[in-house]
Amino acid sequence: MDLARRSLAVAMAASVCLSTSGIGEAAAAAPRPVLTFAAPGEGAEQQGAKLAILPLVIEGSLSEADQNSLTQSLSSGLQRGNFTVLTPDQVITADSGAASCDNAVCYKSIATKTGAAYIVRAAVTVRDRDYNVHVDLFNGNDGQRIAATQDGCEICGVVDASGLIDSAAATLRLKLDALAKGPASFKLQTDPPGALVTIDGEIAGTTPLNRPVVPGKHVIRISKEGFIALEREVTFVEGVGEELQYALEKLPSRLPGKGWGYASIAVGILGIGGGIALTAIDGRNYSLDCEGENVMNPGITGEKECKYLFNTKWYGVAATIAGAALLTLGTVILINSRPKTDAGDKRAARRGVRQLGIGPGSLILRGQF
């Protein structure tokens, strides 16, 4: 009886051991969970994007251990982003020529073989103890560079260079996060509306304006007839929609109205006429009686000469110049006050530079009329 009980206990213990061993083997066979780094608040669509890091390009003397340290800094810096990072070893496995890749065709080939959406290429220049780090981000679809960052340090070591690479990786992460959100755009409104908008010299439309724009710095110019033009430099970021609103100030009137123009022309004509008259009577006697005491000493010639003569030459010249200036000013006022149309502006532009000047010694205006 005791022997039977002992046999039963041994059998149960063996069964428990076998069950426990099976559980252990099953647990060992199950795949371990993979830890991924995701930026808070990011969508799942970016998690599937792959980023391939090319082998580090070294210019100068750097040990293999230091190269591995810099490569690890770049990889770990990029792995903090919300995308899958392929290390240089994985890229070399997929494409053995990745180490010498330096053109768009090669980048596209690596992207095709690795399934990466973006390619990262880092170059480190070492001269004595000076380090210069240059990191480029390329689009896997066309092999074109979409971002670049460069930094350096003097009299530093590998630890400092690792910090530079980590900073470059952070910059690229921001770029990639922005790319995942979509293109940059802006909405521009002005008070009053209907202002012409140009971006880097190219006409973009009239306000209110809502359109996409290439990321980066751009010069926006806003102009409207009768208002002071505005020019602003704005930096646009991928995935960010900027809302811009500007109030335009009225252009101060530099010239009076039409009435003053006509008056200026009339006074100018009178001034020119008066100047001509004053010049004409210069040297003539202003007394009708040129006899007796009004006669000056005849002198050697014996010719009779009146004592009281007009001396109006310079008054006439001054009046003529002033009249010509007023006439010119009045003409400019009338031209400036006439209605302007786009067709008229185009015709004026085709006519080019003209001169306007009236009378001897007059003021000359150069411009488009």
Side-chain angles (χ1 to χ4, degrees):
M1 187 68 176
D2 292 338
L3 181 61
R5 289 180 179 177
R6 289 179 180 177
S7 300
L8 180 59
V10 170
M12 291 178 65
S15 177
V16 170
C17 291
L18 289 174
S19 299
T20 305
S21 176
I23 292 174
E25 292 176 359
R32 294 183 178 181
V34 179
L35 296 178
T36 59
F37 297 89
E42 297 293 335
E45 66 275 7
Q46 193 183 356
Q47 292 180 350
K50 287 185 179 181
L51 181 67
I53 303 177
L54 300 184
L56 201 65
V57 178
I58 303 296
E59 297 181 10
S61 177
L62 195 65
S63 67
E64 184 176 354
D66 291 341
Q67 293 184 32
N68 293 335
S69 176
L70 296 179
T71 301
Q72 181 61 32
S73 296
L74 180 61
S75 300
S76 61
L78 291 172
Q79 283 174 347
R80 300 191 194 107
N82 196 26
F83 33 78
T84 302
V85 175
L86 301 178
T87 64
D89 292 337
Q90 293 174 311
V91 175
I92 288 290
T93 301
D95 189 339
S96 58
S100 58
C101 182
D102 62 352
N103 57 73
V105 176
C106 181
Y107 300 143
K108 290 172 61 178
S109 175
I110 292 176
T112 301
K113 293 179 181 179
T114 60
Y118 303 101
I119 307 294
V120 174
R121 183 177 185 268
V124 179
T125 302
V126 184
R127 291 187 177 88
D128 295 332
R129 294 187 61 187
D130 298 343
Y131 287 79
N132 188 284
V133 176
H134 190 103
V135 183
D136 294 311
L137 177 66
F138 299 92
N139 191 333
N141 293 329
D142 54 14
Q144 299 301 314
R145 183 170 59 185
I146 55 179
T149 178
Q150 184 173 354
D151 202 353
C153 62
E154 298 179 355
I155 311 179
C156 54
V158 177
V159 175
D160 300 308
S162 298
L164 296 178
I165 286 186
D166 188 82
S167 176
T171 302
L172 294 185
R173 287 201 313 270
L174 295 176
K175 183 75 175 180
L176 289 167
D177 289 342
L179 288 172
K181 298 176 183 177
S185 63
F186 72 93
K187 183 178 181 181
L188 177 59
Q189 294 181 333
T190 58
D191 181 22
L196 179 66
V197 180
T198 62
I199 301 177
D200 299 330
E202 298 292 333
I203 297 178
T206 56
T207 57
L209 184 64
N210 189 358
R211 56 166 290 172
V213 66
V214 177
K217 289 185 178 181
H218 297 277
V219 176
I220 296 180
R221 190 176 190 276
I222 307 168
S223 58
K224 185 178 176 64
E225 183 69 29
F227 293 85
I228 300 175
L230 291 178
E231 192 169 286
R232 298 288 186 271
E233 184 180 85
V234 182
T235 300
F236 296 99
V237 180
E238 293 90 346
V240 178
E242 296 283 352
E243 291 193 4
L244 308 174
Q245 188 166 0
Y246 300 103
L248 302 179
E249 297 182 6
K250 286 189 176 182
L251 187 67
S253 179
R254 299 181 180 178
L255 294 174
K258 286 185 177 181
W260 287 99
Y262 289 120
S264 180
I265 290 176
V267 175
I269 292 174
L270 292 176
I272 293 174
I276 294 173
L278 290 173
T279 304
I281 67 174
D282 180 62
R284 294 187 181 184
N285 181 27
Y286 55 80
S287 176
L288 297 178
D289 184 12
C290 191
E291 298 292 340
E293 62 180 8
N294 291 336
V295 178
M296 294 178 64
N297 186 356
I300 300 175
T301 61
E303 294 182 1
K304 183 171 63 174
E305 185 177 354
C306 293
K307 183 185 298 186
Y308 304 104
L309 302 177
F310 285 106
N311 185 17
T312 57
K313 176 182 177 180
W314 296 112
Y315 295 105
V317 171
T320 303
I321 293 175
L326 289 173
L327 182 59
T328 302
L329 177 61
T331 304
V332 172
I333 291 174
L334 293 180
I335 292 175
N336 185 72
S337 60
R338 69 181 180 180
K340 295 180 180 180
T341 61
D342 293 338
D345 292 341
K346 292 178 181 178
R347 287 195 299 270
R350 288 196 297 268
R351 285 197 296 269
V353 176
R354 299 293 181 85
Q355 292 187 161
L356 176 62
I358 300 176
S362 64
L363 298 176
I364 296 179
L365 292 179
R366 295 177 182 270
Q368 293 182 351
F369 299 100

